[in-house]
Amino acid sequence: MTEPLIVIERLSREYSSGDSTVVALDHIDISIAAGEMVAIVGASGSGKSTLMNILGCLDRSTSGSYRVSGREVASLDMDELAALRREHFGFIFQRYHLLNELSAIGNVEVPAVYAGLSQHDRRAKASAILDRLGMAGRLEHRPGQLSGGQQQRVSIARALMNDANVILADEPTGALDSRSGEEVLRILHEINAEGRTVIIVTHDMAVARRAKRIIELRDGVVISDQPNHSDLSIAPIPIEDRSTARSPAKPAAPWRASFGRFREALRMALLTMNAHRLRAFLTMLGIIIGVASVVCVVALGAGSQERVLANINSLGTNTLEIFPGKDFGDTRSTKIKTLVASDARVLGQQIYVSAVTPTVSTSVTLRFGSIEASAQVSGVGEEYFAVKGTQLAEGTFLDADSVRSFAQDAVIDDNARKALFANISTSPIGTIILVGRVPCRIIGVTRQQQSGFGSSANPTIYLPYTTVQARFLGDVSLRSISIRVNDSTSTDFAEQAVTGLLTQRHNAKDFFILNTDDIRRTIQTTTGILTLMVAAIAVISLIVGGIGVMNIMLVSVSERVSEIGVRMAVGARQNDILQQFLIEAVLVCLIGGLTGIGLSLGFGVVFNAFDVGFRLIYSTTSIVAAFLCSSMIGIAFGYMPARNASKLDPVTALMRE
Ligand code: ADP
Ligand code: MG
């Protein structure tokens, strides 16, 4: 003879609280065959619920044996127990334990989600069962919109959803008025008539007498176990549509099933966030601010760096500038007259120098006809344009001849051309203008240049330095010498060589050298370091945001302990619970992250609209990094609360209200 469906042998369950232990079940033996309808009765505290929880694999015995279909339950791990609950047991609770965020049909679908039924099959089956239980018009109602009796019918439908062969009902009529209670009992009878095993726990003998067998517990011991001959059990009303209700819907393919569970977890997370909008938003705020500040700071850093480097580059690349004096702050530098044209000439003979030019400067007023403009006069050598990389728009440069002969030839820049020749469409080449009181012939016009340090729309005119020294300054000392270093030589080496050469010539180091490469490097590293520092501070705010997420997730888990219990009772794996809460945490962070990125881009638009001298440059790296960072934070800080949730004991979770 085969073993009955449920066999309990010498099973005990003890609770230890502090030093004392309470024996809730004391060496009981029960066996229940498939298709029975059993009532377990007893006074409050006699161990009924404890027995029920063990039967439903929500709880484990302390000692003894419990076998379902011949399988020893004690040897199963958590996920195998979950599978057993999913496939064999349906729970009906005294307080229904429905999920308030879900509609009636949504609640009924939950077990099938964990069983891996496709969404379509799930819907169809859930609505068929609800139909059958007389809930056809209430599919989309929330538990709060249903009466107690209706809620209990939803909970019965949920118990039937996975075609459980054992229905466990703990005081199913306890919270109902007598008519609704009667209705529920009638349904349980129908279920039993379909061939399912029904086990009802009750303290009410009137309810117990409706079963076909009554097991009575007292202080954890079975005191009687008899068939019930009183003929109060109602004849089951024929069920019209058994085929749809019991049609074994095929579970979807494994990957589809896990995708379905993922989608369901996502939906739950969205529902929960929607139910606690303000809380979710405040939690996100930390992430939003963190991400927005990281992205903005990096963009600001990149933007200002670009601006400064553009200024440096306008000085020319690979160039050295030699000035008299100790450094820029040296007030006596104008009195130092040792930097002269012969220095430039000697430097020009060095192998590492590709071009060199002396420079002197002054300001004058330019006159052409009735037009006047104040301008900067640059006295330069013939190689000036080679050193600076200046391009001509038209005409020619100054040549060695014009320098040697103190020629009154001038090259004007684009600003000067605009200032003097705005109304004239013909070329200014060949025109004579007055530079101060010196008439000069224009031989060239430079192309508009990327503006450098402090440069503006100020007109500039280039004359041979010899001319400027003789006609304007009356002095042979130079303001500076600019060198373009050979491409094959490093500027650092050239700087050393120039220092050595000039120190020897002057018998003193009465000059200083500006190395544009050096400046560029310094600026790059300093702005890099600054950006890094501020970004680090922003990252700290992200971490603080993450801690906020963790905090809220812990609250959310403890608020929803009983939901977690219900999910476990209907067969959720530990992983399903972990996934659900983790998704919620990651979702908060992702939405926060995206909002943060959006916010910083918006800030950029506003910032760039105001002309503050530089623009924000967003790096894709920083945006992607911020995005990844915020999801990592979601996972990192959401994991602990989610794990706590998944490790909850189903019984304790269910008990907590
Ligand atoms: P019933 O459902 O018949 O009212 P229970 O099965 O809930 O009884 O409880 C049986 C006994 O076990 C009671 O004495 C109760 O105090 C004790 N008990 C139940 N659950 C716990 C628990 N989690 N910790 C300690 N004692 C418990
Ligand atoms: Mg109880």
Side-chain angles (χ1 to χ4, degrees), residues 120-173:
H120 175 264
D121 291 353
R122 222 157 65 202
R123 282 252 125 189
K125 191 169 174 187
S127 79
I129 296 175
L130 280 169
D131 246 19
R132 197 187 123 197
L133 298 183
M135 294 286 294
R138 304 277 190 287
L139 297 189
E140 295 302 334
H141 285 50
R142 296 283 156 106
Q145 300 165 323
L146 298 172
S147 73
Q150 288 169 331
Q151 289 190 57
Q152 194 59 302
R153 276 189 265 172
V154 173
S155 117
I156 293 172
R158 181 177 63 189
L160 293 175
M161 187 63 190
N162 280 352
D163 295 320
N165 46 18
V166 182
I167 301 294
L168 300 166
D170 193 348
E171 307 275 10
T173 58

Side-chain angles (χ1 to χ4, degrees), residues 15 22 24 43-50:
Y15 294 107
V22 178
S44 177
S46 56
K48 306 182 298 291
S49 294
T50 306

Side-chain angles (χ1 to χ4, degrees), residues 476-491:
V476 293
S477 71
L478 301 175
R479 192 184 69 99
S480 71
I481 298 175
S482 304
I483 293 174
R484 175 172 288 261
V485 178
N486 242 335
D487 284 342
S488 54
T489 313
S490 83
T491 48

Side-chain angles (χ1 to χ4, degrees), residues 572-584:
R573 302 155 188 79
Q574 288 192 325
N575 246 337
D576 293 326
I577 303 292
L578 182 86
Q579 178 172 271
Q580 182 187 333
F581 283 91
L582 206 53
I583 285 176
E584 203 176 313

Side-chain angles (χ1 to χ4, degrees), residues 18 41 52 61 90 162 168 175 215 253 352 354 362 387 406 424 429 456 466 514 543 618 641:
V41 291
M52 185 66 115
S61 60
N162 280 352
L168 300 166
I215 298 173
Y352 50 83
S354 76
T362 184
V387 173
F406 297 72
I424 296 169
I429 303 292
S456 53
T466 46
L514 230 140
I543 291 174
Y618 292 96

Side-chain angles (χ1 to χ4, degrees), residues 563-574:
E563 173 195 329
I564 296 166
V566 173
R567 287 180 180 277
M568 286 176 160
V570 301
R573 302 155 188 79
Q574 288 192 325

